[in-house]
Amino acid sequence: MNKRIWLSLAHMGGREQDFVKEAFDTNWVVPLGPNVNGFEEDLAKFVGQNRHVVALSAGTAALHLGLVLLGVKTGDEVICQSFTFAASANPITYLGATPVFVDSEVDTWNMCPELLEEAIKDRYVKTGRYPKVIIPVHLYGMPAKMDQIMQIASRYGIPVLEDAAEALGSELNGQKCGTFGELGVLSFNGNKMITTSGGGALVCHTAEEAQTAMFYATQARDNAPHYQHSKIGYNYRMSNICAGIGRGQMLVLEDHIARRRAIHTLYTELLSDAKGITVMQNPSADFNSNFWLTCIVVNPKEAGETREDIRLRLDAANIESRPLWKPMHLQPVFADAPAYTNGVSEAMFNDGLCLPSGSSLTDEDIKRAVRIISQ
């Protein structure tokens, strides 16, 4: 049996252990510490736009804290992209709010600006209030149409919490994803562009926002000599050990991005003649996806088979692939949530497939996957 080709594994650069060893040698093995500070500084420099970054235990924690900072409370509604992973929507429910799902547009597979505005207007008619926050997602690293989304959000006075968990290094018009919204979210889960084993970060506009996020992430302890709490807090700060891994990963981040893009280019070339198979591409020169995962759409009529036929054939050959995200408006747990749909995300879920894209994969790994796809 050939070796297993995984969808997207963590890829160490070699320097991670140096930073972790330093943490052990200096006994900084708890949350906070020099590695946390250094990792936050590295991330802030990378994303640019004079942003401030708070390292946290998970991207989900960052989404939750972002909603807290934006004042979401019980009874509020939050607009969320439907075509995404459940972590984009779950934190809305942590606060007793209701997710309102908005479908995608065909160019990017991300939140449809026209449908977003329709949802905002309709929620006001139905509830007498505008939604509290908008959560667009840069799916599989592809930037959403943030210029249009931000214009709509500004028109109705709704802040944007930008889910860039899959989009570290992606750019729209030269600006890094995660820096368009009032707040942005990054993820360092084991399958992302870089990893801290687990972890995430909240990207803030101001130092004051970052300080507030740190306050809530460290159990909301008041400034007193004793333990006093006037707010409900959370245990969300990243450990100094995990941040050490992150500092080492930052040294190879640009290499990882370049490799994922090269893998996408190779898939595009090798599958150019495959009947009924389309590789997802940047819609225009304004978009510069990190191509965290290279995705294809299978037209069953033209291909003579479904994406599930291809997925099963890859699996039988010891190659991991994965259907695109099942939209949130189709998930049983959100069956009662309002949704504004146009069929795009359902079509992508039915016919789309994520291909092995990890930065540690070789060209021969990609060619082997394509040989199986093309059988």
Side-chain angles (χ1 to χ4, degrees):
M1 173 68 75
N2 288 319
K3 72 169 186 176
R4 180 73 165 170
I5 296 179
W6 298 96
L7 188 73
S8 180
L9 290 181
H11 185 190
M12 295 295 101
R15 289 288 309 281
E16 294 84 1
Q17 291 187 43
D18 295 340
F19 293 101
V20 172
K21 183 177 185 300
E22 180 183 346
F24 274 94
D25 289 345
T26 57
N27 207 35
W28 279 101
V29 296
V30 294
L32 309 183
N35 281 335
V36 176
N37 297 337
F39 187 42
E40 290 172 340
E41 291 168 4
D42 292 343
L43 286 167
K45 182 178 180 180
F46 178 78
V47 299
Q49 306 296 317
N50 296 313
R51 296 299 187 262
H52 301 261
V53 177
V54 181
L56 301 168
S57 58
T60 308
L63 282 159
H64 186 194
L65 278 190
L67 293 171
V68 171
L69 264 63
L70 295 174
V72 174
K73 294 181 172 58
T74 299
D76 288 335
E77 291 187 342
V78 174
I79 289 183
C80 181
Q81 186 167 309
S82 182
F83 198 21
T84 185
F85 179 50
S88 302
N90 285 342
I92 300 168
T93 68
Y94 300 169
L95 295 167
T98 299
V100 175
F101 295 115
V102 170
D103 215 324
S104 297
E105 44 88 28
V106 295
D107 287 355
T108 67
W109 301 355
N110 296 320
M111 185 178 285
C112 174
E114 290 77 15
L115 207 53
L116 167 63
E117 186 156 26
E118 178 184 322
I120 291 171
K121 291 177 179 178
D122 192 60
R123 295 324 296 167
Y124 187 82
V125 169
K126 286 184 166 62
T127 70
R129 295 189 300 162
Y130 289 124
K132 193 77 172 183
V133 174
I134 299 168
I135 303 178
V137 185
H138 305 296
L139 204 67
Y140 303 115
M142 182 61 67
K145 293 182 177 174
M146 292 305 299
D147 292 346
Q148 295 177 42
I149 290 171
M150 293 303 296
Q151 288 172 6
I152 294 167
S154 177
R155 189 149 58 238
Y156 296 95
I158 305 173
V160 170
L161 176 57
E162 184 186 353
D163 186 346
E166 301 172 2
L168 183 63
S170 297
E171 297 174 336
L172 179 66
N173 293 313
Q175 182 174 337
K176 292 287 197 303
C177 290
T179 65
F180 291 88
E182 178 63 31
L183 298 168
V185 170
L186 304 174
S187 173
F188 313 116
N189 192 22
N191 63 1
K192 295 299 191 296
M193 299 301 293
I194 60 171
T195 187
T196 55
S197 174
L202 188 66
V203 181
C204 305
H205 265 256
T206 67
E208 290 74 20
E209 286 176 334
Q211 286 296 325
T212 302
M214 292 178 190
F215 168 74
Y216 279 107
T218 50
Q219 299 290 16
R221 182 183 176 185
D222 292 339
N223 185 18
H226 49 275
Y227 281 87
Q228 177 172 300
H229 307 272
S230 302
K231 305 282 187 181
I232 296 296
Y234 311 92
N235 185 18
Y236 278 169
R237 278 298 249 158
M238 180 179 285
S239 81
N240 200 50
I241 298 295
C242 290
I245 301 172
R247 292 186 75 185
Q249 288 273 280
M250 288 299 295
L251 299 175
V252 293
L253 172 56
E254 295 284 8
D255 293 337
H256 286 191
I257 295 169
R259 181 57 188 157
R260 300 250 184 181
R261 287 173 174 158
I263 286 171
H264 174 267
T265 298
L266 185 57
Y267 272 125
T268 300
E269 293 171 352
L270 296 175
L271 290 170
S272 60
D273 295 328
K275 290 184 179 179
I277 294 178
T278 303
V279 181
M280 177 58 164
Q281 303 289 339
N282 286 312
S284 74
D286 295 337
F287 296 80
N288 191 17
S289 174
N290 63 15
F291 291 112
W292 169 58
L293 295 181
T294 293
C295 302
I296 60 174
V297 177
V298 181
N299 183 325
K301 292 182 180 179
E302 294 181 9
E305 59 183 348
T306 67
R307 68 104 164 121
E308 189 62 6
D309 293 327
I310 294 175
R311 188 190 70 80
L312 291 173
R313 190 162 68 245
L314 285 166
D315 188 57
N318 212 22
I319 301 171
E320 183 184 21
S321 61
R322 185 175 68 191
L324 302 187
W325 298 122
K326 182 176 183 178
M328 291 301 101
H329 71 269
L330 298 181
Q331 298 288 352
V333 70
F334 293 122
D336 296 329
Y340 295 80
T341 63
N342 56 12
V344 171
S345 63
E346 292 184 36
M348 294 300 102
F349 169 61
N350 289 334
D351 296 332
L353 192 67
C354 303
L355 302 180
S357 306
S359 54
S360 62
L361 294 178
T362 66
D363 284 3
E364 184 50 44
D365 291 330
I366 305 307
K367 292 174 182 178
R368 182 178 141 206
V370 170
R371 285 196 295 269
I372 301 301
I373 293 168
S374 302
Q375 284 181 358

